[in-house]
Amino acid sequence: MEPCAKPEPVREFIPYGRQSVDADDLAAVAAVLQSDWLTTGPLVEKFEYEFSKWTGAVHSVAVSSGTAALHAAVFAAGIGPGDEVIVPAITFAATANSVEYQGGKAVFADVDPDTLLIDPEDAERRITPRTKAIITVDFAGQPCDYSAFFSLARKRGLTFIADACHSLGAEYKGKKTGTLADLTAFSFHPVKHITTGEGGMISTGSSELAARMRRFRNHGISTDHRQRTGRKMWEYEMTELGYNYRITDFQCALGVSQLKKLNSWLVRRNEIARFYHASFSGSPIMPLELLPEIRHAYHLYVLRLGPGIGKPDRRKVFLRLHEMGIGANVHYIPLHYHPYYRDKYGLKRGDYPAAEAAYERILSIPIFPGMSDEDCGSVVDAVFRAADLARSGRRPGWKK
């Protein structure tokens, strides 16, 4: 991508993420809406099959959200009251919440300051006799050090769960996410790589864990309505406590249609990222560092604001970007800052220094396949303006 010409001030709001839905997607959904099955029908199985084929996973189980995917994975891992699970200190709350739903305890580990990926050494230091699993997060779309965590999990007898809600299509040493852990959770929220409105998927190589998660998404019941209809029977058994985490057929129709475009969307996300890299190179505005032997999926593009434009001026940069129509965001507030975790476990500032220091300076800027070259130039121009204005205290000259 060639650098864009200096843009005029942004007139139309550019969010940090946005879904892409075209006529093919609409037609796929409409066809299901006119069929006999709106939920628990044949499109669920088709989506799972196509997803497994795309990622290379042995089994894929579709559920109603990325959070449901994480919860199902933690359930399948057998986490219960008194069990501990290692979780990175910077992630969306759902990663840790999925442990708490099962009565377990989320134990936070610090992150690498340059990538914001969970630090393997700090994670190992947090393991106790009560630790039963570890959940890594592919922050912003960059795969974690899967080799290190797979080895750690096997050495310490832990279940390895990957929160890949940011990294559909990412690769680690030539292998796609979804094939690198015992259980891998994905999200299909509208800002993710493909969308089903809301929705999620869990990939695993274990037929036993897949079967357990299929029951879990359906109240813990051993068969679903379509299966019973096909067998001409009404009897069913609830074998364990589950939830209604079913996904609809029309959502899965959208997912199947979106999967066909995923490769081209990943190419565009990486094009935009390269443009951002080049644009911010040599400035005090720095992207996160990249690990070797990975393919980044770029769900997010996260900047680190250097000296002079960090706290407390980040808020000014954030607000001025919004004034200029750029939907900047911050991903994420460290988990131990949230009152629930802070108060329940007696956590305090200073407990996770790398996560805390990073949080004070990070800012996410727009990245999604539908962005034009002009949009990308507008974002870069606005970031530099907002950073300069934050230092000088001036307001945009074009702003009335």
Side-chain angles (χ1 to χ4, degrees):
M1 180 192 292
E2 294 298 323
C4 307
K6 184 175 180 180
E8 294 298 316
V10 177
R11 305 293 183 186
E12 187 173 334
F13 188 78
I14 304 174
Y16 82 87
R18 177 188 284 161
Q19 72 277 4
S20 297
V21 177
D22 64 17
D24 290 340
D25 298 324
L26 297 176
V29 172
V32 173
L33 290 174
Q34 296 170 40
S35 74
D36 292 334
W37 292 94
L38 295 191
T39 191
T40 324
L43 264 295
V44 177
E45 186 175 337
K46 180 175 177 59
F47 185 34
E48 292 172 340
Y49 171 79
E50 294 294 342
F51 192 87
S52 288
K53 188 168 71 171
W54 202 95
T55 59
V58 179
H59 302 283
S60 296
V61 180
V63 290
S64 56
S65 69
T67 301
L70 286 163
H71 189 186
V74 171
F75 170 82
I79 303 304
D83 293 336
E84 294 180 353
V85 178
I86 308 297
V87 174
I90 286 188
T91 181
F92 184 57
T95 311
N97 292 354
S98 64
V99 177
E100 301 282 315
Y101 295 157
Q102 288 298 110
K105 178 182 179 181
V107 175
F108 306 138
D110 215 343
V111 296
D112 179 274
D114 296 318
T115 64
L116 302 192
L117 296 167
I118 184 170
D119 180 346
E121 292 183 0
D122 194 61
E124 185 165 17
R125 282 193 290 269
R126 310 277 177 176
I127 294 172
T128 74
R130 294 182 296 278
T131 306
K132 296 296 188 294
I134 184 164
I135 304 179
T136 60
V137 172
D138 296 337
F139 185 83
Q142 175 163 218
C144 70
D145 188 344
Y146 275 92
S147 294
F149 283 104
F150 190 86
S151 297
L152 176 60
R154 291 299 175 265
K155 180 175 73 172
R156 303 300 290 268
L158 308 176
T159 301
F160 178 14
I161 302 172
D163 179 344
C165 291
H166 290 190
S167 64
L168 177 58
E171 295 180 10
Y172 175 84
K173 296 183 178 180
K175 294 184 178 180
K176 289 181 180 175
T177 53
T179 64
L180 297 159
D182 297 312
L183 295 146
T184 306
F186 296 93
S187 168
F188 308 130
H189 183 275
V191 297
K192 297 304 197 311
H193 300 85
I194 66 170
T195 188
T196 56
E198 288 279 3
M201 191 79 77
I202 317 98
S203 294
T204 182
S206 167
S207 57
E208 179 183 350
L209 294 181
R212 193 167 190 219
M213 290 186 291
R214 293 186 200 284
R215 292 192 297 270
F216 183 70
R217 73 178 174 189
N218 188 36
H219 304 279
I221 293 172
S222 55
T223 59
D224 63 33
H225 177 58
R226 180 169 175 251
Q227 290 169 328
R228 294 192 296 275
T229 299
R231 298 171 189 173
K232 295 181 173 56
M233 60 180 286
W234 71 83
E235 296 92 347
Y236 61 85
E237 293 181 323
M238 179 186 151
T239 59
E240 50 198 335
L241 184 63
Y243 287 74
N244 181 1
Y245 281 160
R246 297 188 300 261
I247 190 170
T248 66
D249 265 42
F250 53 87
Q251 286 176 288
C252 289
L254 178 57
V256 170
S257 181
Q258 294 252 306
L259 268 175
K260 297 173 184 176
K261 292 161 275 198
L262 178 54
N263 270 321
S264 64
W265 288 343
L266 288 165
V267 168
R268 180 58 179 167
R269 285 179 180 272
N270 275 270
E271 285 178 351
I272 295 168
R274 286 194 294 272
F275 174 69
Y276 284 161
H277 289 341
S279 299
F280 295 116
S281 177
S283 79
I285 302 168
M286 300 163 289
L288 298 176
E289 292 189 5
L290 303 179
L291 296 178
E293 298 185 85
I294 63 100
R295 182 196 192 191
H296 206 303
Y298 284 109
H299 161 53
L300 301 171
Y301 193 90
V302 179
L303 295 172
R304 294 173 289 171
L305 304 181
I309 49 175
K311 186 184 178 182
D313 287 338
R314 179 183 60 177
R315 183 170 297 277
K316 295 179 183 177
V317 174
F318 173 89
L319 293 173
R320 284 167 175 157
L321 283 171
H322 278 259
E323 288 175 354
M324 289 186 278
I326 305 299
N329 212 325
V330 175
H331 298 92
Y332 294 96
I333 299 169
L335 291 175
H336 65 295
Y337 283 7
H338 293 298
Y340 174 87
Y341 289 107
R342 180 194 66 209
D343 298 343
K344 182 174 183 179
Y345 297 122
L347 303 173
K348 62 185 184 303
R349 291 176 186 259
D351 286 344
Y352 305 93
E356 293 171 27
Y359 168 64
E360 302 298 347
R361 297 188 178 280
I362 54 176
L363 193 69
S364 301
I365 59 174
I367 186 166
F368 54 92
M371 291 179 69
S372 67
D373 288 4
E374 183 179 4
D375 290 334
C376 300
S378 295
V379 171
V380 170
D381 184 74
V383 170
F384 279 116
R385 290 190 198 184
D388 289 336
L389 291 165
R391 289 194 292 268
S392 67
R394 292 183 291 104
R395 296 184 64 77
W398 61 271
K399 186 78 173 178
K400 301 297 183 183

